[in-house]
Structure formats: structure tokens, C-alpha cells
Amino acid sequence: MGAKNIRADSLITNIVYHLDYSKSKISEIRNKFYWFSGIAVGVILLLSVVSHFISRNNIFWIDTATHSLFESYCGIISLIIAYVIYREYRSSGKISNFLLFLGFFSMGVFDFFHAYSNHCATLFVWFHSLSAFSGALFFLLSALSIRNNAKAPPWLRHTLVISGITVIIISAVIISKFPSPLPYAVTIGGTHHTPVNLPVVGEFSTSTIIFNILSAVFFLFSGLYFFRYFRKTNDV
């Protein structure tokens, strides 16, 4: 969606990109964005280090009501962003937009299921891991296909969106109803249905660790690729 390619009916045109901005104004916005990103990353790293030293000799568990509330907000935000990107995909027809839509939509859906799976530790951890992994995977696929300017016909756009939504929701429902085939999420030697409001002492299983490490790697590479592409093309 560079300035030359943005259509008038594109929703993103009206919320994140102003065609009348001068080069100096765009440069100023970029600099502010770089500063903001650097400060945000620094704060996150600082909080991570502090929390590690504070909690290394103690055991903490979650307040389920508060956690569900905040995770619900995260799910709502993901779905709102997914809707914005869906509007853009409906306008542009680019496969990268469709994959980005699936990334945010899957994160939102799995996050909601995670927020309300307090009755089962396995589902609780796996839905959180699947939210991160599905989002990261679709982000990476979107980044790798961002140079593909081929446009899908309108009928195919609707078919892909409906199919993607259906598969993600059905997958989440099936997982929530049949958790037994899932590998144990925490090495506690208990059952799949151990509630998360119990003070469980254990380690995350190898499976969940691998999923989350892959999620981090996919997010990192997709973010770097998107950032590099933006710097070269000024394409949002």
C-alpha cells in the first residue's frame, strides 16, 4: 500500500497514511516511531529483568478473574485489528493482507478461549501458546508474501475469509472439547483438568517451550522483514 497504490476506499488510507504528507513530515514521523519503539523495547526488557529477580525465589499464581478480564481485552483488540485488515484486504486483494488478517483473528480467538479455560491447566497454557504461534506463523507468511502484488478476485477474497474464520473457530472449539490428545502443558504429573487457580509447582513441558520459542523467532523475523520493507518502500 504505497502512496501510489492506495485506493480511495481503503480504510487504512483514512487512519494511518496521509497522502498529502511531505517527505520532511514523513521523516519526522519515522524518527518519532523509532524513538518510541526503542523506549518501549527498553521498558519491556527492564521489567522482564526486574520481575525475574523479584520472583526467582518465590511462587506466584494468577488471579483468574483479573487475568480473564485483561486477556478478553487483548482478544477484542486483536479482533478489531483483524477487522481493519479485513477491510484493507477486501479493497486490495493482496494475499499478504489476508494472511495478516488470519494472524490477528487467530490470536483473538485463541486468546478468548485461553481467557476462559481456567478449569483446565492444559487448555489454559496451550490456548495461550497457540495464540502466539498462529499469529507469529501468519505474520511470517504475510511478510514473505508482501512483494506479491497479485490480486485475488472478489469472490475468492470472500471465500478465503469465510473459510479461514470457520477453520480457526472450529479448531478452537474442538480443542476445548477434547483436550486429552494434547501433550501435557506443565510437568506436574497431574491430570489434564487441573484447575489453574491451584498453586501448581512445575515446569512448562518441552512441547510448549518449543511452540513459544518458534513463536518468538517467527515474530522477530517477520517484524524485521516488515520494518526493512517499510524503510525501502514507505509502504504501510
Side-chain angles (χ1 to χ4, degrees):
M1 280 174 299
K4 296 181 180 179
N5 300 321
I6 297 181
R7 290 176 47 175
D9 61 346
S10 168
L11 187 64
I12 290 184
T13 304
N14 301 309
I15 60 176
V16 299
Y17 203 101
H18 293 267
L19 300 180
D20 57 346
Y21 274 178
S22 63
K23 290 184 177 180
S24 59
K25 182 65 174 179
I26 293 177
S27 178
E28 179 185 348
I29 293 173
R30 277 184 170 180
N31 290 334
K32 289 181 179 179
F33 171 74
Y34 298 155
W35 275 105
F36 174 80
S37 300
I39 293 172
V41 170
V43 170
I44 292 171
L45 291 175
L46 177 62
L47 292 176
S48 299
V49 172
V50 171
S51 64
H52 172 74
F53 283 106
I54 290 176
S55 63
R56 63 185 304 176
N57 296 320
N58 298 281
I59 298 174
F60 295 94
W61 205 241
I62 65 169
D63 179 85
T64 54
T66 303
H67 174 269
S68 296
L69 178 64
F70 279 102
E71 289 290 351
S72 297
Y73 284 143
C74 293
I76 290 172
I77 291 171
S78 292
L79 294 178
I80 290 173
I81 297 174
Y83 174 72
V84 172
I85 297 173
Y86 158 73
R87 289 282 302 272
E88 183 58 37
Y89 173 62
R90 191 176 67 176
S91 172
S92 69
K94 291 183 62 175
I95 188 64
S96 59
N97 290 335
F98 170 67
L99 293 169
L100 202 57
F101 159 77
L102 288 182
F104 279 104
F105 184 81
S106 61
M107 285 193 294
V109 170
F110 286 131
D111 222 14
F112 266 113
F113 277 81
H114 161 70
Y116 298 99
S117 58
N118 301 319
H119 62 285
C120 177
T122 294
L123 288 178
F124 185 82
V125 176
W126 269 114
F127 274 131
H128 190 280
S129 299
L130 288 173
S131 175
F133 182 78
S134 62
L137 178 60
F138 284 124
F139 273 41
L140 182 61
L141 293 175
S142 175
L144 295 176
S145 62
I146 198 169
R147 296 182 183 276
N148 183 359
N149 291 317
K151 296 183 178 182
W155 68 268
L156 183 57
R157 300 175 202 178
H158 295 301
T159 302
L160 289 174
V161 168
I162 293 173
S163 300
I165 290 174
T166 302
V167 169
I168 290 170
I169 293 177
I170 290 178
S171 298
V173 172
I174 291 175
I175 292 171
S176 68
K177 296 298 183 182
F178 304 101
S180 297
L182 291 172
Y184 282 104
V186 183
T187 57
I188 57 175
T191 67
H192 277 292
H193 298 289
T194 303
V196 299
N197 57 351
L198 296 178
V200 178
V201 179
E203 302 289 338
F204 288 114
S205 66
T206 303
S207 301
T208 54
I209 291 174
I210 291 174
F211 262 76
N212 283 278
I213 290 176
L214 286 176
S215 301
V217 172
F218 291 168
F219 272 128
L220 176 62
F221 278 100
S222 59
L224 291 173
Y225 195 93
F226 277 128
F227 183 69
R228 181 184 177 188
Y229 183 78
F230 172 71
R231 292 205 61 183
K232 285 185 175 181
T233 65
N234 203 37
D235 186 342
V236 296

